[in-house]
């Protein structure tokens, strides 16, 4: 079975602070995919990044960076110099083969509510 | 591309009524997902289709829920009869692959059953 755990339910920071959102996953597959999505107060879900299990290279995109550690089954997300507009719920997701082994199934964590205060 | 289109955006219905939610995926995407989001349970995958075929409906809560995808450009999620505990935001998403590529979400349908 596949599982995604986001242990931090809520995080509150002051603008310009750096913040890291944790994500731990479980899967027996050797090939799998990891994602982060953002859900701002308006409610839509916005795709941020995808990584596959064979690519452990960390990625940076502007103020966003992702740290993929296969050894600890973690895919953490860091926002540098946070801004009020970063306030949202952030979801980590895992794409792994379903029980039939024929198709990938996308499973989401429960999300982390990030509040950035001015 | 217009993105994933869901309708209606909001639905208020009385308990016992039939509710039909609609989704138009992004053209060319061959996987479609229905998710339900509540405060208590987060984002739950209800069912997903690959090439219009239902692959995994293990997340469908009860027989009251059914989903169809008659063609590559349309899907419905039906609840009959609806109950207050079905109140949630229902999202449709589509992707090129079923879980190995990013899924793009519609804006959701907020369902309230009174």
């Amino acid at each position: 079975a596949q599982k995604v755990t986001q242990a931090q339910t809520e995080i509150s920071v002051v603008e310009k602070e750096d913040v890291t959102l944790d994500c731990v996953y479980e899967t027996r597959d050797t090939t799998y995919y990891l994602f982060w999505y953002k859900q701002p107060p308006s409610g839509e879900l916005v795709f941020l990044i995808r990584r596959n299990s064979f690519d452990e290279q960390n990625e940076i995109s502007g103020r966003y960076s992702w740290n993929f550690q296969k050894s600890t089954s973690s895919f953490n997300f860091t926002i540098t110099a946070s801004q009020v507009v970063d306030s949202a719920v952030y979801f980590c997701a895992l794409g792994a083969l379903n029980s039939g082994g024929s198709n990938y199934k996308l499973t989401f964590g429960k999300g982390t509510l990030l509040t950035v205060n001015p | 591309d217009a993105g994933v289109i869901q309708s209606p955006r909001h639905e208020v219905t009385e308990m016992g009524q039939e509710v039909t939610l609609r989704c138009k995926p992004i053209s060319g995407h061959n996987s479609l997902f229905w998710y339900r989001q509540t405060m208590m349970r987060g984002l739950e995958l209800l069912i997903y289709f690959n090439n219009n075929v239902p692959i995994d409906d293990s997340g469908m809560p009860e027989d009251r829920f059914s989903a169809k995808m008659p063609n590559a450009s349309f899907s419905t999620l039906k609840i009959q009869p609806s109950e207050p505990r079905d109140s949630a935001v229902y999202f449709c998403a589509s992707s090129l692959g079923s879980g190995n590529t990013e899924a793009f979400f519609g804006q959701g349908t907020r369902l309230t059953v009174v």
Side-chain angles (χ1 to χ4, degrees):
Chain A
Q2 55 210 40
K3 186 178 176 182
V4 177
T5 301
Q6 295 181 253
Q8 304 149 309
T9 306
E10 296 186 35
I11 299 176
S12 183
V13 299
V14 177
E15 208 168 16
K16 297 184 183 176
E17 282 185 27
D18 298 348
V19 58
T20 295
L21 310 180
D22 297 334
C23 173
V24 174
Y25 61 91
E26 294 176 31
T27 179
R28 294 180 182 176
D29 293 343
T30 54
T31 301
Y32 52 87
Y33 300 83
L34 296 163
F35 306 81
W36 276 95
Y37 286 81
K38 174 182 180 180
Q39 187 175 39
S42 51
E44 73 272 22
L45 278 148
V46 179
F47 163 74
L48 295 178
I49 190 171
R50 176 186 72 143
R51 306 297 285 173
N52 73 56
S53 54
F54 297 109
D55 183 2
E56 288 193 70
Q57 190 172 12
N58 292 330
E59 182 156 338
I60 298 175
S61 176
R63 296 183 298 107
Y64 294 172
S65 62
W66 291 270
N67 183 285
F68 178 23
Q69 297 274 354
K70 213 168 177 179
S71 59
T72 56
S73 298
S74 65
F75 186 43
N76 297 336
F77 174 28
T78 297
I79 301 175
T80 303
S82 59
Q83 300 176 1
V84 173
V85 293
D86 296 327
S87 296
V89 180
Y90 290 86
F91 291 94
C92 180
L94 166 68
L97 286 172
N98 65 358
S99 56
S102 57
N103 285 278
Y104 283 89
K105 181 174 177 177
L106 193 60
T107 302
F108 282 79
K110 297 258 187 240
T112 297
L113 172 62
L114 173 65
T115 302
V116 181
N117 298 298
Chain B
D1 202 323
V4 177
I5 299 173
Q6 289 186 248
S7 64
R9 291 291 309 280
H10 302 273
E11 176 81 34
V12 180
T13 190
E14 290 186 350
M15 183 173 64
Q17 296 297 307
E18 177 181 297
V19 175
T20 299
L21 311 182
R22 297 172 176 79
C23 175
K24 182 182 188 312
I26 293 173
S27 177
H29 282 188
N30 55 20
S31 291
L32 183 140
F33 308 82
W34 283 101
Y35 285 87
R36 177 172 70 175
Q37 186 176 33
T38 60
M39 288 293 292
M40 291 297 294
R41 300 172 72 92
L43 264 170
E44 302 174 273
L45 176 64
L46 300 178
I47 185 172
Y48 72 98
F49 297 82
N50 198 31
N51 294 321
N52 312 340
V53 176
I55 300 300
D56 186 340
D57 64 355
S58 59
M60 295 286 262
E62 301 169 31
D63 291 344
R64 299 184 296 106
F65 285 69
S66 62
K68 293 182 179 179
M69 192 164 186
N71 57 60
S73 58
F74 184 64
S75 177
T76 59
L77 177 68
K78 186 179 291 187
I79 308 172
Q80 165 63 18
S82 58
E83 296 182 5
R85 60 193 167 119
D86 301 331
S87 297
V89 179
Y90 290 81
F91 285 101
C92 175
S94 71
S95 70
L96 285 171
S98 62
N100 54 349
T101 58
E102 55 270 29
F104 294 90
F105 284 74
Q107 292 191 295
T109 295
R110 182 173 294 278
L111 173 65
T112 303
V113 184
V114 298

